[in-house]
Amino acid sequence: MTVNRRFTLAARPQGLPKDSDFLLTQDIVPPLQEGEFLIRNHYASIDPAIRGWLEPGGNYMPPVPIGDAVRASTIGVVELSRHPDFTAGQWVMGLNKVEDYSIGRGDGFTQPIDVDAVPSPTAYLSVAGAVGLTAWFGVEDVMQPAAGQTVLVSGAAGAVGSLVGQLAKRRGARVVGIAGGAEKCARLIDRYGFDQAIDYRGKDVEALSADIAAACPDGVHFVYENVGGACLDAALLNLAQGALVVICGLISEYNSAPQGARNIWQLLVKTATMRGYLISQYLDRFPEGVTAMAKLAGEGAIVYDEHVEDGIDNALPAMLRLFDGSNQGKMILKLI
Ligand SMILES: NC(=O)c1ccc[n+]([C@@H]2O[C@H](COP(=O)([O-])OP(=O)(O)OC[C@H]3O[C@@H](n4cnc5c(N)ncnc54)[C@H](OP(=O)(O)O)[C@@H]3O)[C@@H](O)[C@H]2O)c1
C-alpha cells in the first residue's frame, strides 16, 4: 500500500491564497492499469500560473476542482510501469500535481528527461523547463530583437525575466529590466548582465515612466511584460515607433481585480502591436528549446537561479513568495 500525500484545494482563494484554502490530504495509490506508470515526484514547479488555475474559470487551462490536488509541472522517477515506453528508474517530467505520486498514461504530457545532460534534474523545471522555454521562444521567435534595439523586461529578476534579458543581450539588444528593490536591481546588472535596472517599488506610472524614459532615450522597441499594472502603463508611454508589446504575464493582477492597461492609446500613436504569448503554443518545438537552453546553461553562456523550498508542507509559503517577491530564482518545491 503506497500512501500519497497531496496538496489539495479546499476552497477557492479570494485574493492572496491562505492556509484555509488548502488541505494536506492522503490517499492510497490505486493499482496500475495497463498503459499506466507510477511516478514518484521529486520536485514540483511552483508557478504564478497556478494561481489562475485556482479561479472558478481557470485561465488557459481548466480550474483545479475543489478536493483535487493542485496542478503543477513535476519531475520524478518512474517506480512501476505497465506502459511499453516507460521503465522503472527512468526520470520523467510532466504536467502533474503537487503530490508524492502521480500516475502517467503516456498521453504526451509526460516525457522522459536526460538528467545527465544538465547540472541537476531541477534544470528541467528552470532553465530547460517551461520558464526557460518561455524565455527562449519569447526572445528567439516572438521578439527576435537585434543590435540597435531596446528590450524592456518587467519581473526582470525572476525566472522568466532573468533569462529573457540574457537571451536578448546575446542577440545584441540593449536590455533594461524592472524589478522590486535595490538588491534585485543590482543582481540584474551584476549577475544577469542587463544594461540598466529600474526599481518599481513605491513608484506610480508617472515616476516609472520617467525612469524608463531616462533608461531608454530612443524608446522601447520590445516590451516583455510579466507584471502588468503600473509597469505596463509606464512602458506604453515609452514605446518606439512600431514597437511590439508581448504580454507574457500580468502577475500584479493575479490576486486582485484586473487594473487594465490605461495607456493603450499609445499603440495607436506609435503604430505598435500588443500580443499575448503562451509557451503552450510551442509544444511541438519543445525539444529544440530544451537542447538550446541546456547547451547555453551547460556552457555557462547564461546563468540561472533556483529557489528550492523543502517539503510538501511548504507548498503554500512557496507559492506566496512569488507574490511578495521573496523568491530568488525559479520557485521549486522539493517533495522527497
Ligand atoms: N505566457 C507564458 O507561457 C508564461 C510561462 C511562464 C511564466 N509566465 C509568466 O511570467 C511571469 C514570471 O513568472 P516566473 O515563473 O518567472 O516568476 P518569477 O518572476 O520568478 O517570480 C514572480 C516575481 O514577480 C514579481 N511580482 C510579484 N507580484 C508583483 C507585483 N504586484 N508587481 C510587480 N512585480 C510583482 C516578484 O518580483 P519583484 O521582487 O521584482 O517584485 C516575484 O519575484 C508571470 O507573470 C507568469 O505568469 C508566463
Side-chain angles (χ1 to χ4, degrees):
M1 240 177 31
T2 307
V3 175
N4 192 15
R5 294 175 309 156
R6 316 180 84 210
F7 178 58
T8 298
L9 183 65
R12 302 229 170 264
Q14 306 288 324
L16 264 185
K18 55 187 183 308
D19 274 337
S20 58
D21 297 329
F22 305 94
L23 279 174
L24 191 57
T25 59
Q26 292 196 352
D27 284 358
I28 302 299
V29 174
L32 285 187
Q33 304 298 308
E34 197 56 43
E36 293 183 340
F37 49 98
L38 183 65
I39 305 160
R40 176 57 167 110
N41 291 316
H42 284 226
Y43 296 95
S45 180
I46 304 299
D47 293 308
I50 290 177
R51 179 63 187 84
W53 300 338
L54 307 181
E55 287 294 297
N59 47 16
Y60 51 90
M61 295 204 77
V64 172
I66 293 193
D68 199 357
V70 171
R71 183 187 298 127
S73 296
T74 68
I75 54 172
V77 176
V78 175
E79 274 199 1
L80 291 169
S81 180
R82 296 187 66 189
H83 190 291
D85 300 335
F86 292 87
T87 51
Q90 189 174 34
W91 276 89
V92 292
M93 70 183 291
L95 188 60
N96 292 307
K97 292 172 185 174
V98 183
E99 57 188 2
D100 287 334
Y101 291 91
S102 297
I103 290 182
R105 295 180 178 84
D107 48 13
F109 281 116
T110 306
Q111 303 289 338
I113 49 176
D114 177 6
V115 294
D116 296 327
V118 289
S120 145
T122 51
Y124 286 101
L125 298 180
S126 59
V127 70
V131 294
L133 304 193
T134 302
W136 173 258
F137 291 111
V139 173
E140 297 296 329
D141 203 76
V142 178
M143 296 198 297
Q144 303 184 26
Q149 295 183 312
T150 297
V151 179
L152 178 69
V153 187
S154 63
V160 173
S162 60
L163 294 171
V164 166
Q166 292 178 75
L167 293 172
K169 273 301 286 182
R170 285 179 57 78
R171 295 180 61 98
R174 176 178 160 69
V175 180
V176 176
I178 304 177
E183 200 183 317
K184 282 196 182 180
C185 284
R187 191 142 55 96
L188 287 186
I189 311 277
D190 301 341
R191 178 154 171 80
Y192 304 130
F194 283 58
D195 293 290
Q196 261 182 274
I198 297 169
D199 183 355
Y200 74 85
R201 294 237 162 129
K203 290 182 187 152
D204 60 11
V205 174
E206 198 182 340
L208 259 177
S209 175
D211 283 358
I212 297 170
C216 311
D218 300 327
V220 176
H221 300 89
F222 296 97
V223 177
Y224 194 97
E225 190 57 57
N226 285 318
V227 168
C231 288
L232 176 54
D233 267 332
L236 287 171
L237 292 171
N238 286 281
L239 299 180
Q241 205 67 39
L244 174 63
V245 181
V246 179
I247 305 295
C248 175
L250 298 168
I251 195 166
S252 68
E253 303 184 347
Y254 291 177
N255 292 296
S256 56
Q259 300 301 303
R262 298 200 174 96
N263 292 327
I264 56 169
W265 56 278
Q266 284 293 324
L267 298 176
L268 177 73
V269 174
K270 297 291 168 51
T271 57
T273 304
M274 181 151 71
R275 61 159 287 188
Y277 160 56
L278 269 182
I279 186 56
S280 50
Q281 296 172 274
Y282 288 87
L283 263 182
D284 57 338
R285 291 179 61 190
F286 267 29
E288 166 196 335
V290 171
T291 304
M293 290 301 279
K295 182 165 183 288
L296 287 172
E299 290 167 348
I302 53 173
V303 294
Y304 63 100
D305 290 300
E306 296 175 346
H307 184 139
V308 181
E309 290 284 327
D310 199 1
I312 198 166
D313 293 341
N314 281 317
L316 177 59
M319 195 191 301
L320 293 177
R321 283 185 182 280
L322 297 172
F323 301 113
D324 67 16
S326 60
N327 63 312
Q328 304 287 341
K330 173 70 196 99
M331 179 52 68
I332 292 170
L333 186 67
K334 188 173 185 299
L335 294 170
I336 185 174

